[in-house]
Amino acid sequence: MIDYLARLIIRQATQSDLPALEWNGEYTHFRLLYRDIFQSSQHGEAILWVAELPETGIIGQLFVQLISSRKELADGFQRAYIYGFRMKSEYRGYGLGTYMLKYVEIDLVNRGFQIAVLNVARENEDARLLYERQGYQVVAAEPGQWSYLDENGNRRWVNEPAWRMEKILDSN
């Protein structure tokens, strides 16, 4: 088995990392969204995390919203919302995503947060099971309807019904 974990670096994204989050064009349509999340991070409202292998570059990403208008997701004090969590397909199954999620949860505890919240697409049973193994529980159904501006400034609508999941973070 390849020991990616020994070389994995989890760190906060820098502005120069934003193009790499597009994964060679696969997520170019999120370019303006990534920029907005990064700007939000500069105001202490969000954190962009990346997983990097020195010889390869960025292979994973996970965003945390610390403050949201939807207080049931992120209230700036107790609850933080995890989203945009993805690992490049060729690096799945090695425990890297689990390691990254745990790393971010520890950071949230260190910041005083007590509850991690995330949404998982209802059709993505594998991800839901992964989150359940990590201690998350389904607490509500989410309509999963949202929109964003793509790289050309066109509004794109997303309809992805989801389960809202929560985990009480362990401070030990």
Side-chain angles (χ1 to χ4, degrees), residues 109-133:
V109 168
N110 291 337
R111 294 172 186 267
F113 287 88
Q114 300 167 6
I115 301 169
V117 181
L118 55 81
N119 286 343
V120 61
R122 290 185 201 170
E123 63 187 37
N124 193 346
E125 188 171 330
D126 290 341
R128 183 183 52 79
L129 292 172
L130 168 74
Y131 296 135
E132 286 176 349
R133 286 192 303 271

Side-chain angles (χ1 to χ4, degrees), residues 37-49:
I37 298 166
F38 184 79
Q39 288 175 349
S40 180
S41 75
Q42 300 301 288
H43 301 290
E45 298 171 355
I47 306 169
L48 288 78
W49 292 99

Side-chain angles (χ1 to χ4, degrees), residues 1-149:
M1 182 171 164
I2 300 171
D3 188 14
Y4 291 124
L5 275 176
R7 299 187 316 274
L8 189 70
I9 299 167
I10 308 289
R11 62 175 177 79
Q12 290 186 33
T14 63
Q15 188 167 8
S16 63
D17 291 324
L18 296 181
L21 299 181
E22 296 179 15
W23 290 3
N24 298 319
E26 186 176 354
Y27 295 108
T28 301
H29 57 99
F30 286 147
R31 180 176 293 158
L32 298 179
L33 184 61
Y34 291 156
R35 183 201 64 199
D36 290 347
I37 298 166
F38 184 79
Q39 288 175 349
S40 180
S41 75
Q42 300 301 288
H43 301 290
E45 298 171 355
I47 306 169
L48 288 78
W49 292 99
V50 294
E52 179 179 39
L53 290 172
E55 68 279 6
T56 306
I58 293 173
I59 62 162
Q61 58 192 39
L62 185 156
F63 307 144
V64 179
Q65 193 70 34
L66 302 174
I67 300 169
S68 170
S69 60
R70 291 189 58 193
K71 301 301 180 203
E72 73 274 17
L73 300 180
D75 62 11
F77 303 101
Q78 293 184 315
R79 299 172 160 277
Y81 179 65
I82 294 171
Y83 66 106
F85 182 25
R86 57 182 61 96
M87 193 68 58
K88 286 188 174 181
S89 60
E90 61 266 34
Y91 297 99
R92 294 180 191 153
Y94 295 101
L96 303 175
T98 298
Y99 180 83
M100 185 177 199
L101 184 61
K102 288 179 180 179
Y103 186 98
V104 169
E105 290 172 353
I106 290 167
D107 178 74
L108 287 172
V109 168
N110 291 337
R111 294 172 186 267
F113 287 88
Q114 300 167 6
I115 301 169
V117 181
L118 55 81
N119 286 343
V120 61
R122 290 185 201 170
E123 63 187 37
N124 193 346
E125 188 171 330
D126 290 341
R128 183 183 52 79
L129 292 172
L130 168 74
Y131 296 135
E132 286 176 349
R133 286 192 303 271
Q134 299 309 310
Y136 287 82
Q137 296 179 347
V138 172
V139 296
E142 287 281 339
Q145 297 173 333
W146 57 284
S147 68
Y148 65 96
L149 295 178

